[in-house]
C-alpha cells in the first residue's frame, strides 16, 4: 500500500507563506515566549521584536523571489495609496457595535519606548509587506489558479477578491473593518497591478493608526 504524495510547495509559494505563517505561529506561542523571556530576566516586550525580526529575516532570505515588488508605483498611484490608506484608517476607528468586532476602550498605559518603537515600526513597515505578499500576491491569485504566478492581478476574479478578503478579516478581531480593508487593498492591486500600491496603502493605515494609538492611548487597537 503506497503513501499519498504530499503536494509540492514551490519556492515562490514558500517565499510568500513562510514569513506569514512563522509570524502567526510566534504570535500563537507568545505566552510561552514571554514566560521564557521572564525566566531569562528579559522584558516581555521583546516578544514582539522577535516576531518582527523573524519576519524581516524571512523576507530578506526570499527577497529574490518577490518579482511583484519590482515595479514601482507612479506618483498618481502613490496618491491613491495614501488616500485609500487614510480611508481604511478612518473606517478602522469608527464605533462599531459589538457584533461587528467592536473593541472596548483600553485602560492599559505603556511607556516602554523600545516596545513602542518596535511596535509602530513593525506594524507600519514590516507587517504590510509580509501580509500583502501573502494575502494579495499569493492567496488571492492562488484562489484562481494553482500556478498563481501566472495570474495577472488585473484578471483576478471577484470570487478571489472576496474570498481572500473574508479570510483576511478572520485574522482581525475587528473582522468587519478587516473585511473592508481587505477589499480596498485587493481592489488597489487588481486596479493598478502594482503590489506596492496596496503595500503603501496598508503602510499608511498602520502608520497613522499606530500614531493615533500612541497619541490618544487607544491601546485596545494594538
Amino acid at each position: 500500500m503506497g503513501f499519498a504524495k504530499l503536494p509540492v510547495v514551490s519556492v515562490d509559494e514558500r517565499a510568500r507563506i513562510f514569513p506569514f505563517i512563522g509570524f502567526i505561529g510566534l504570535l500563537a506561542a507568545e505566552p510561552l515566549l514571554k514566560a521564557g523571556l521572564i525566566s531569562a530576566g528579559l522584558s516581555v516586550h521583546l516578544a514582539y521584536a522577535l516576531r518582527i525580526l523573524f519576519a524581516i529575516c524571512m523576507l530578506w532570505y526570499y527577497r529574490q523571489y518577490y518579482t511583484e515588488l519590482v515595479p514601482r508605483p507612479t506618483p498618481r498611484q502613490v496618491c491613491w495609496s495614501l488616500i485609500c490608506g487614510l480611508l481604511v484608517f478612518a473606517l478602522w476607528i469608527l464605533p462599531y457595535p459589538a457584533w461587528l468586532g467592536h473593541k472596548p476602550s483600553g485602560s492599559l498605559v505603556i511607556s516602554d519606548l523600545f516596545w513602542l518603537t518596535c511596535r509602530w515600526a513593525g506594524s507600519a513597515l514590516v507587517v504590510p509587506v509580509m501580509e500583502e505578499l501573502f494575502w494579495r500576491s499569493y492567496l488571492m491569485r492562488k484562489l484562481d489558479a494553482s500556478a498563481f504566478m501566472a495570474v495577472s492581478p488585473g484578471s483576478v476574479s471577484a470570487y478571489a477578491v472576496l474570498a481572500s478578503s473574508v479570510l483576511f478579516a478572520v485574522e482581525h478581531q475587528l473582522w468587519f473593518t478587516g473585511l473592508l480593508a481587505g477589499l480596498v487593498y485587493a481592489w488597489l492591486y487588481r486596479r493598478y497591478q502594482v503590489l506596492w500600491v496596496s503595500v503603501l496603502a496598508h503602510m499608511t493605515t498602520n502608520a497613522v493608526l499606530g500614531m493615533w494609538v500612541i497619541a490618544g492611548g487607544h491601546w485596545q487597537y494594538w
Side-chain angles (χ1 to χ4, degrees):
M1 180 177 178
F3 293 98
K5 290 185 178 180
L6 294 174
V8 177
V9 180
S10 69
V11 66
D12 286 318
E13 290 178 295
R14 295 197 299 272
R16 289 153 185 82
I17 295 173
F18 285 3
F20 177 77
I21 294 299
F23 186 85
I24 296 300
L26 287 175
L27 174 61
E30 193 167 81
L32 292 175
L33 184 57
K34 286 183 176 179
L37 290 170
I38 292 173
S39 299
L42 300 172
S43 171
V44 294
H45 295 322
L46 282 172
Y48 185 82
L50 291 174
R51 270 196 285 148
I52 289 298
L53 180 60
F54 171 84
I56 291 173
C57 290
M58 292 295 288
L59 292 171
W60 178 258
Y61 179 77
Y62 285 114
R63 65 191 183 280
Q64 71 187 86
Y65 300 101
Y66 301 137
T67 55
E68 63 272 61
L69 291 177
V70 173
R72 296 295 187 259
T74 65
R76 177 183 175 84
Q77 291 170 351
V78 171
C79 287
W80 274 110
S81 294
L82 296 176
I83 291 170
C84 291
L86 290 172
L87 171 63
V88 173
F89 161 72
L91 293 172
W92 209 271
I93 64 174
L94 289 176
Y96 296 101
W99 65 276
L100 288 180
H102 170 71
K103 289 190 175 184
S105 298
S107 58
L108 180 65
V109 176
I110 300 174
S111 59
D112 189 311
L113 182 60
F114 173 78
W115 183 85
L116 290 174
T117 302
C118 287
R119 186 67 174 82
W120 184 86
S123 174
L125 304 176
V126 180
V127 170
V129 177
M130 175 188 69
E131 289 199 333
E132 292 307 308
L133 282 167
F134 176 77
W135 290 110
R136 254 60 68 178
S137 174
Y138 169 66
L139 186 62
M140 188 171 73
R141 294 191 291 170
K142 184 73 172 180
L143 289 169
D144 274 347
S146 57
F148 74 99
M149 291 294 288
V151 178
S152 168
S155 65
V156 170
S157 67
Y159 159 74
V161 169
L162 180 59
S164 61
S165 298
V166 168
L167 293 172
F168 180 72
V170 173
E171 183 193 10
H172 298 83
Q173 183 177 343
L174 286 170
W175 65 267
F176 181 69
T177 315
L179 173 61
L180 297 179
L183 290 171
V184 170
Y185 302 148
W187 174 79
L188 285 171
Y189 190 34
R190 192 178 189 276
R191 170 69 177 81
Y192 295 108
Q193 303 181 52
V194 177
L195 190 64
W196 275 113
V197 179
S198 59
V199 169
L200 290 174
H202 201 155
M203 284 181 167
T204 301
T205 300
N206 288 10
V208 177
L209 180 63
M211 290 187 288
W212 185 75
V213 166
I214 295 171
H218 306 286
W219 305 110
Q220 69 273 22
Y221 288 89
W222 270 6

